[in-house]
Amino acid sequence: KLAADIDMSSIEEWSPIMTADAKEVHFDGNGKTISNLNCVSANMPSLFGILKGSIKNVTFENCTVNATTGTTGTGLIAAQAVDAEITGVTVKGLEINVKGSTATFVGGLVGKADGVKFENNNIEVNVNDEDGDNKMPDFVAGMVAIAEGKASSFKNCHVEGSVIGNRYAAGMVGFIYFADAVVTNCSTDVKLSSLHQYGGGMIAYSYEGLTITNCHTTGEINTINAYNGGLLGACRGKLTVKKCYTTGTINNTVGTHV
């Protein structure tokens, strides 16, 4: 439990706490702020690395995470979150800098989620093409790159900023795979650049199991290929959408199913 704000500017290169044999952790931010975290680790760049347990009631401000060639899982809180709860997290001014196209699972909060509850989280993030060459990895999103395995849920969450990615790029979740995810009362306001197929203002692609209720998206989507949408890029299998809407613009250069 945090007793005071923490300024991490004196730590030039943060390394994640756990990258193997993760123990269960319950982190209470107690309404405090962690600022100026700079993570450049080649292995699971994030605060925790692997999160099992929970993190709640904390603000992150002016943090930077760098995803480089070959990194597996990238996110401010965790590269991988398993059987976890992430609630009451506010993120201000997060920059995720991606170098090269071989980093995998780049998310604003979490790279890969397996059985995770996300609730009452507000994220301000820019995912950047550090090379400036328009060569980005697949699975890039403002909150979670991929949700798979056990069902994850998203409630009362908001993402704003900008995201650029190749396939499966999205404002909130890049890919949902056999996870029976539930998304309720969520919103995005994102400028999304989708360099290939499957881009979504909220979710890029769902495979077998997604329910979206009372959600909305706005912003701008720029795409040069197929299967891109204001709310959802594409889906296969079970999908339920209730009381949702999207506004903003979609600019498509080449492709169908937009």
Side-chain angles (χ1 to χ4, degrees), residues 30-62:
N30 194 31
K32 306 302 182 182
T33 298
I34 298 173
S35 59
N36 300 311
L37 169 69
N38 181 38
C39 185
V40 296
S41 172
N43 186 20
M44 297 186 174
S46 56
L47 178 63
F48 285 101
I50 301 172
L51 175 65
K52 293 182 179 180
S54 65
I55 179 171
K56 65 179 182 179
N57 301 334
V58 64
T59 295
F60 292 90
E61 194 168 279
N62 299 329

Side-chain angles (χ1 to χ4, degrees), residues 14 16 19 39-46 49 65-75 78-80 96-107 111-112 127 130 136-140 145-146:
W14 173 263
T19 57
C39 185
V40 296
S41 172
N43 186 20
M44 297 186 174
S46 56
V65 181
N66 297 282
T68 58
T69 300
T71 55
T72 302
T74 299
Q80 299 176 17
I96 296 183
N97 300 316
V98 183
K99 187 174 183 178
S101 60
T102 61
T104 58
F105 309 129
V106 179
K112 183 186 294 186
V127 180
E130 188 176 20
M136 292 289 287
D138 298 336
F139 308 104
V140 180
I146 183 170

Side-chain angles (χ1 to χ4, degrees), residues 110-133:
V110 172
K112 183 186 294 186
D114 182 351
V116 182
K117 173 185 175 181
F118 297 87
E119 190 168 324
N120 299 325
N121 301 313
N122 195 312
I123 304 166
E124 179 187 296
V125 58
N126 293 312
V127 180
N128 306 306
D129 176 8
E130 188 176 20
D131 298 317
D133 58 3

Side-chain angles (χ1 to χ4, degrees), residues 15 23 93 119 126 129 157 170 183 213 231 233 237-238 242-243:
S15 295
K23 309 300 182 183
E119 190 168 324
N126 293 312
D129 176 8
C157 293
V183 183
T213 306
L231 186 70
K238 185 173 61 176
K242 299 178 182 178
K243 298 179 180 180

Side-chain angles (χ1 to χ4, degrees), residues 54-214:
S54 65
I55 179 171
K56 65 179 182 179
N57 301 334
V58 64
T59 295
F60 292 90
E61 194 168 279
N62 299 329
C63 296
T64 303
V65 181
N66 297 282
T68 58
T69 300
T71 55
T72 302
T74 299
L76 175 60
I77 290 176
Q80 299 176 17
V82 182
D83 299 328
E85 293 188 4
I86 299 174
T87 59
V89 173
T90 298
V91 178
K92 300 177 181 179
L94 171 62
E95 301 290 330
I96 296 183
N97 300 316
V98 183
K99 187 174 183 178
S101 60
T102 61
T104 58
F105 309 129
V106 179
L109 285 187
V110 172
K112 183 186 294 186
D114 182 351
V116 182
K117 173 185 175 181
F118 297 87
E119 190 168 324
N120 299 325
N121 301 313
N122 195 312
I123 304 166
E124 179 187 296
V125 58
N126 293 312
V127 180
N128 306 306
D129 176 8
E130 188 176 20
D131 298 317
D133 58 3
N134 281 337
K135 294 181 180 179
M136 292 289 287
D138 298 336
F139 308 104
V140 180
M143 182 178 286
V144 177
I146 183 170
E148 63 177 359
K150 294 180 289 294
S152 290
S153 63
F154 304 82
K155 184 177 181 181
N156 300 332
C157 293
H158 176 73
V159 181
E160 62 182 81
S162 63
V163 174
I164 180 171
N166 197 46
R167 294 181 299 174
Y168 313 115
M172 194 167 78
V173 184
F175 195 103
I176 295 173
Y177 184 70
F178 280 117
D180 286 322
V182 177
V183 183
T184 309
N185 298 334
C186 291
S187 60
T188 65
D189 184 354
V190 172
K191 180 178 181 180
L192 175 69
S193 297
S194 173
L195 303 177
H196 207 287
Q197 294 178 329
Y198 309 119
M202 183 164 284
I203 298 163
Y205 193 97
S206 169
Y207 188 95
E208 299 292 352
L210 172 63
T211 300
I212 311 174
T213 306
N214 292 330

